[in-house]
Amino acid sequence: MGTPIRLVVDGVEIEASPGQTILEAAEAAGIYIPRLCHKSGLEPFGSCRVCTVVVNGRFQSACTQPVAEGMVIENDTEKLLAIRRDIIEMLLVEGNHFCMFCEKSGNCELQALAYRFGITAPKYPYLWPEREVDASHPDVFLDRNRCILCGRCVRASRDLDGKHAFDFAGRGASRRIAVNAEGKLAETTAAVTDRAVEACPVGSLLPKRVGFQVPIGKRLYDAEPIGSEIERRGGSP
Ligand code: FES
């Protein structure tokens, strides 16, 4: 464990263990820092910047920054909420997210964050990209139109499934999720039971033939906002 590290988040002193990230330490203390590319159990990636906090006056990604003694962290401020809201809005307009027709609705972390941040209509123009849909696999559906390039499938396939079924290809606006095959997903070793499929925070990787088994209204984020389970640990209502 080592000697506890003390830091302050939004004026509240918390204790952390050496080696924890700011996000992990805050979470253990019942403070929710929004996140998208981060998933517990996966190597931190630091790509989406939804977890941006201010540490001693400087912007940092909470999911990659290790704790240090005496850190003073801003998390729940108007300035940071506005930055995160902008990131979420840009992710929404950059892809094709038709939530009302998506099997992931109610379980989707991007949608849940949009609700938590009160986003009803993004202020940025929709880009309506045309991206490849890969339905070749007998059990898994890959829709790049909903992909937010968080890389969770890449890390889960590599580190948890030991398969390297997914990776990034291309650069900049052309960056996309590629599969480890000459052709399509069906030619990879990916399976519906892979942690990579479960790791997708949106409806980009979905198991086939399980559509709407859990009705809309009874799904994970239908009952309460994303992050509530963490905040309850801190004694919030
Ligand atoms: Fe930290 Fe994405 S959750 S950068």
Side-chain angles (χ1 to χ4, degrees), residues 1-6 15-19 67 69:
M1 280 287 286
T3 311
I5 291 171
R6 281 162 304 168
E15 277 193 358
S17 304
V67 292
E69 182 72 27

Side-chain angles (χ1 to χ4, degrees), residues 140-151:
V140 181
F141 182 66
L142 168 59
D143 186 348
R144 293 183 176 85
N145 290 286
R146 301 169 183 156
C147 179
I148 57 171
L149 297 172
C150 65

